């Protein structure tokens, strides 16, 4: 392995490539929530993943799985508890939609993020 170095105030620092950096730019809400959870509550696991440069792949996978799960949960909630007619009572529709989103988010946090 060949390393390139750059001079910073008289110190030679290696120019290391970090593959997870590109993946971190694609993260959404759930990926960042998972990262914060690992960083604050599972420090050893977070450090190992960071050093092995697998953190970006893991967070991206969790984020995508959470988004898919959110879609599924919202569809199921729509079937069991249909939203009010948006044109008739817009505030009732907003309340029901917010309730569905809160329920879906709570399930996702318990199933995927805080484990």
């Amino acid at each position: 392995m060949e390393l390139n170095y750059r001079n910073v105030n008289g110190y030679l620092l290696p120019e290391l490539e970090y593959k997870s950096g590109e993946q971190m730019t694609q993260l959404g809400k759930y990926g960042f929530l998972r990262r914060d959870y690992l960083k604050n509550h599972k420090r050893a696991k977070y450090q190992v993943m960071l050093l092995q440069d697998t953190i970006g792949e893991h967070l991206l996978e969790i984020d995508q799985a959470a988004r898919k799960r959110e879609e599924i949960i919202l569809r199921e909630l729509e079937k069991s508890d249909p939203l009010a007619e948006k044109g008739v009572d817009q505030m009732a529709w907003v309340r029901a939609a917010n309730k569905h989103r809160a329920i879906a988010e709570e399930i996702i946090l318990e199933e995927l993020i805080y484990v």
Side-chain angles (χ1 to χ4, degrees), residues 1-2 19 23 28 36 42 56 64-66 68-70 75-76 79 81-82 86-87 91 101-102 104-105 107 111 115:
M1 185 165 128
E2 185 179 320
K19 292 186 298 186
Q23 295 166 331
D36 291 343
K42 305 280 186 180
Q64 291 170 349
K68 288 178 185 174
R69 183 74 176 119
E70 183 180 38
R75 268 191 259 123
E76 289 175 2
K79 287 178 187 173
D81 183 21
K86 190 174 184 179
M91 288 306 291
R101 285 229 180 265
E105 184 174 319
I107 292 170
E111 288 181 354
V115 290

Side-chain angles (χ1 to χ4, degrees), residues 31-112:
F32 285 114
L33 286 171
R34 176 68 174 167
R35 184 198 64 185
D36 291 343
Y37 174 74
L38 289 174
K39 197 183 244 186
N40 295 324
H41 299 288
K42 305 280 186 180
R43 290 187 181 126
K45 186 174 184 175
Y46 177 76
Q47 290 295 326
V48 167
M49 292 173 87
L50 196 61
L51 291 173
Q52 292 176 345
D53 200 19
T54 59
I55 190 77
E57 181 180 328
H58 171 75
L59 295 177
L60 195 57
E61 182 181 311
I62 292 291
D63 189 61
Q64 291 170 349
R67 288 181 194 183
K68 288 178 185 174
R69 183 74 176 119
E70 183 180 38
E71 289 175 14
I72 292 168
I73 293 170
L74 288 174
R75 268 191 259 123
E76 289 175 2
L77 287 171
E78 179 76 30
K79 287 178 187 173
S80 65
D81 183 21
L83 296 175
E85 195 63 36
K86 190 174 184 179
V88 175
D89 189 2
Q90 193 170 8
M91 288 306 291
W93 182 86
V94 169
R95 275 193 299 275
N98 285 342
K99 182 177 91 172
H100 286 182
R101 285 229 180 265
I103 291 169
E105 184 174 319
E106 198 62 38
I107 292 170
I108 291 167
L109 291 177
E110 289 297 318
E111 288 181 354
L112 296 171

Side-chain angles (χ1 to χ4, degrees), residues 12-27:
L12 292 177
L13 300 176
E15 293 179 349
L16 301 174
E17 290 186 25
Y18 181 58
K19 292 186 298 186
S20 292
E22 296 170 7
Q23 295 166 331
M24 297 294 266
T25 61
Q26 301 171 1
L27 287 183

